[in-house]
Amino acid sequence: MLRHRAVISHLRQACSFQSVPSRLCIRACSTNDSLQPQCPRLAFSGDNSSPRGWRVMGTLLGLGAVLAYHDHRCRAAEKSPHIYTREEVRSHSSPETRIWVTLGCEVFDVTEFVDLHPGGASKLMLAAGGPLEPFWALYAVHDQPHVREILAQYKVGELSPEDKAPSTLQTSDPYADDPIRHPALKVNSQRPFNAEPPPELLTENYITPNPIFFTRNHLPVPNLDPETYRLHVVGPPGCQSLFLSLDDLYQFPKHEITVTLQCAGNRRSEMTRFKEVKGLAWNTGAISTACWAGARLCDVLAKAGHQLCETEAHVCFEGLDSDPTGTAYGASIPLARAMDPEAEVLLAYEMNGQPLPRDHGFPVRVVVPGVVGARHVKWLGKVSVEPEESYSHWQRRDYKGFSPSVDWDTVDFDSAPSIQELPVQSAITEPKDGETVQSGEVTIKGYAWSGGGRAVVRVDVSLDGGLTWQVAELDGEEQRPQKAWAWRLWQLQAPVPAGKKELNIVCKAVDDSYNVQPDTVAPIWNLRGVLSNAWHRVHVRVTP
């Protein structure tokens, strides 16, 4: 390029450029049509037959030859990418040999990207030396234009057209057998399916109807045969394991409880508006309440020979949903909670008087009252007692809270405890943000809940952004001390201040330990957007 500039500088002294004054147009190696060359006409100053004129012409011809050769090389590179066989790609499956993957017929060297992968290096390494398609089919969020643009930077060639993909790579859609969902659900992701009910339906009933109960799936929904289903309960040393059918579980005393489930990411979208986080953009609907029925976990563990011990222990749950590598969803809770009859942990097989819907864990799921939804493992396949908590990714590398100062370059997941009980929470479901209300009187509705069985004792509501407050009326079932497993619905009918053209409605809940929600997101922001429980705010307009 420096040589080009020197030649152009010299030419300017002897030439005048018409149409494109004082500029030499060079075609770059690009598919962008805007970079196609313009062809200036040259007119030499002075006598064209002079030696100086011929020297300039020779220089131009030499430069033209160089540029033409460069253009030829670029076109050749565009037309003839390096061709690799699948066997060659398979040989690049470690940092030592470099890490290659394929997508369609293209080959990519992603060695430098592995440690930058948002889902962790280990997830990307599952595809090392092979195709991305099975994993993109499972985590469809990858199939986005900006992700493909990032991947394109690492392209090194293409697969040989003669090298046909083995039949094992002709994977079917893992989500093709997912159940049909209610159209009212607001979908946050299709694959895996995650959706919440609209706020106006969420608190229409104290018990959430099964079809609009919020759905949080991490993997495809398994289609299990209740006749052949067996729950593997690992016994302690010296005892045999249990393999329980549904009929076997029915023989245990049936226990029923009303429990609210809330995702750790409920209201994450509010954190995102403050500062970007990674995770599904849940609004206020990643929470629902149902009446669950099943066998107490403590009864089943006792049947298998387990008992409380003085040393730390955890009950680990493994689901029957899995990714292409066979890795299942897993989680754990402390053994002390699992063995406590008062904690009422269930192996549930009914939801609101019906067999569990497939999206909610049919035929058996765990229900852990007062604990984050991530520990309520669905499609339960295995229960074991271990000296440490589950080694599942979702127990060790997710669902943890961090300081606002921690980012993805400094986060240390081993330094933070796994979320179990959730903080006090409330939200407004009516009116909706941006809605127009009539002057005179406004009706405000919402929900409130706190983790760990702590009862909600009060909900405060403000119409002026928190300057003045009124106490809402609590509805729903009375809550038992230390066993307040379900939410309280609330409402407030309040006069609209005269002359007001808009209202900034705010709510905050207080539980029986006098925990209260923080007023803003800033001090509780974290990189995963979990535990979002700041005052909920709704802005509405008032018509005369």
Side-chain angles (χ1 to χ4, degrees):
M1 182 58 71
L2 291 175
R3 290 179 180 178
H4 292 173
R5 289 176 180 171
V7 171
I8 293 169
S9 177
H10 175 70
L11 288 175
R12 282 175 177 163
Q13 300 173 12
C15 309
S16 64
F17 286 75
Q18 300 175 9
S19 297
V20 189
S22 304
R23 186 176 71 182
L24 179 65
C25 298
I26 303 173
R27 181 187 185 276
C29 294
S30 171
T31 56
N32 188 340
D33 291 337
S34 67
L35 297 178
Q36 294 298 321
Q38 301 179 37
C39 300
R41 291 182 291 110
L42 302 177
F44 292 105
S45 59
D47 184 4
N48 286 352
S49 62
S50 68
R52 184 183 178 195
W54 285 112
R55 284 197 301 272
V56 172
M57 181 64 75
T59 302
L60 281 175
L61 290 173
L63 176 60
V66 170
L67 295 179
Y69 177 70
H70 179 67
D71 183 71
H72 170 74
R73 290 289 302 273
C74 288
R75 290 176 180 273
E78 291 173 359
K79 293 181 179 178
S80 304
H82 200 99
I83 302 300
Y84 299 99
T85 65
R86 294 184 188 276
E87 187 62 34
E88 287 177 295
V89 174
R90 279 193 291 271
S91 68
H92 294 276
S93 58
S94 69
E96 293 73 27
T97 60
R98 301 195 67 80
I99 300 159
W100 289 12
V101 296
T102 66
L103 184 66
C105 64
E106 297 179 301
V107 180
F108 306 89
D109 181 347
V110 295
T111 309
E112 310 304 328
F113 180 72
V114 168
D115 289 333
L116 304 176
H117 185 242
S122 61
K123 291 291 185 183
L124 184 53
M125 286 300 294
L126 293 173
L132 289 171
E133 282 88 344
F135 302 93
W136 280 28
L138 192 63
Y139 302 105
V141 68
H142 289 80
D143 197 6
Q144 307 267 355
H146 72 277
V147 177
R148 288 182 175 271
E149 287 176 11
I150 294 172
L151 187 61
Q153 301 174 38
Y154 300 95
K155 182 175 176 178
V156 293
E158 296 184 358
L159 286 170
S160 170
E162 288 79 28
D163 191 0
K164 302 296 183 183
S167 59
T168 54
L169 297 181
Q170 304 300 320
T171 54
S172 60
D173 180 357
Y175 294 96
D177 196 34
D178 267 17
I180 296 172
R181 279 88 182 204
H182 195 283
L185 291 172
K186 179 189 177 297
V187 178
N188 288 319
S189 75
Q190 282 283 2
R191 305 151 74 89
F193 187 79
N194 291 280
E196 60 189 297
E200 59 268 31
L201 293 183
L202 182 60
T203 53
E204 190 73 20
N205 300 284
Y206 178 73
I207 298 295
T208 312
N210 290 356
I212 62 167
F213 198 101
F214 91 95
T215 300
R216 177 63 174 110
N217 294 336
H218 296 82
L219 299 161
V221 176
N223 196 352
L224 304 174
D225 182 355
E227 297 299 321
T228 59
Y229 171 79
R230 296 294 182 271
L231 173 61
H232 180 197
V233 183
V234 180
C239 296
Q240 290 187 337
S241 295
L242 303 179
F243 293 89
L244 303 175
S245 66
L246 272 178
D247 284 339
D248 293 329
L249 284 172
Y250 297 154
Q251 303 311 307
F252 288 89
K254 185 177 181 179
H255 189 68
E256 296 186 15
I257 46 172
T258 301
V259 176
T260 294
L261 268 62
Q262 181 180 224
C263 178
N266 191 31
R267 298 180 58 197
R268 179 183 282 128
S269 59
E270 295 165 53
M271 281 197 175
T272 301
R273 287 196 289 272
F274 174 74
K275 182 180 177 182
E276 186 176 358
V277 300
K278 291 182 179 177
L280 296 170
W282 296 106
N283 290 308
T284 57
I287 183 171
S288 299
T289 299
C291 181
W292 309 91
R296 290 180 189 257
L297 177 59
C298 59
D299 294 340
V300 175
L301 289 175
K303 181 72 172 179
H306 290 288
Q307 56 187 358
L308 278 175
C309 53
E310 295 182 359
T311 58
E312 181 182 5
H314 302 261
V315 178
C316 298
F317 308 114
E318 189 174 293
L320 293 170
D321 50 335
S322 61
D323 66 18
T325 68
T327 302
Y329 183 86
S332 61
I333 61 174
L335 177 64
R337 183 185 292 272
M339 293 296 293
D340 182 2
E342 295 301 307
E344 300 186 277
V345 182
L346 285 188
L347 301 183
Y349 45 75
E350 286 183 7
M351 178 180 180
N352 293 333
Q354 300 175 347
L356 294 175
R358 282 185 59 206
D359 258 332
H360 299 290
F362 179 82
V364 177
R365 73 171 299 164
V366 183
V367 173
V368 192
V371 168
V372 64
R375 313 302 167 216
H376 298 233
V377 176
K378 299 188 283 188
W379 312 290
L380 187 63
K382 182 179 179 182
V383 179
S384 63
V385 176
E386 309 292 347
E388 295 187 29
E389 66 177 359
S390 170
Y391 278 92
S392 166
H393 166 85
W394 293 280
Q395 185 83 21
R396 299 280 183 127
R397 291 293 179 268
D398 203 351
Y399 298 118
K400 296 185 176 186
F402 296 94
S403 165
S405 64
V406 174
D407 59 27
W408 287 101
D409 293 325
T410 59
V411 64
D412 176 10
F413 278 95
D414 292 328
S415 69
S418 301
I419 298 171
Q420 293 285 341
E421 297 178 0
L422 287 170
V424 64
Q425 175 72 282
S426 71
I428 299 163
T429 58
E430 184 184 323
K432 294 188 293 185
D433 190 51
E435 193 172 316
T436 299
V437 300
Q438 297 293 320
S439 60
E441 190 174 70
V442 61
T443 299
I444 305 163
K445 296 182 179 180
Y447 65 78
W449 179 80
S450 192
R454 293 178 288 275
V456 170
V457 296
R458 193 178 78 241
V459 174
D460 299 324
V461 181
S462 173
L463 303 186
D464 52 18
L467 296 178
T468 61
W469 298 91
Q470 303 177 59
V471 178
E473 179 183 351
L474 299 179
D475 301 326
E477 296 179 2
E478 289 297 321
Q479 297 182 315
R480 298 171 293 168
Q482 306 306 310
K483 299 175 73 172
W485 307 133
W487 61 13
R488 295 300 298 268
L489 303 185
W490 56 265
Q491 65 175 318
L492 174 72
Q493 289 183 317
V496 176
K500 282 288 185 180
K501 295 183 178 180
E502 59 183 33
L503 300 176
N504 292 311
I505 307 174
V506 179
C507 74
K508 61 182 175 73
V510 183
D511 69 20
D512 61 10
S513 294
Y514 287 96
N515 297 307
V516 65
Q517 295 170 252
D519 58 346
T520 65
V521 166
I524 60 171
W525 182 93
N526 58 88
L527 76 175
R528 278 290 282 121
V530 293
L531 308 170
S532 180
N533 73 325
W535 295 357
H536 189 226
R537 303 169 185 269
V538 167
H539 179 267
V540 299
R541 294 181 295 275
V542 180
T543 59

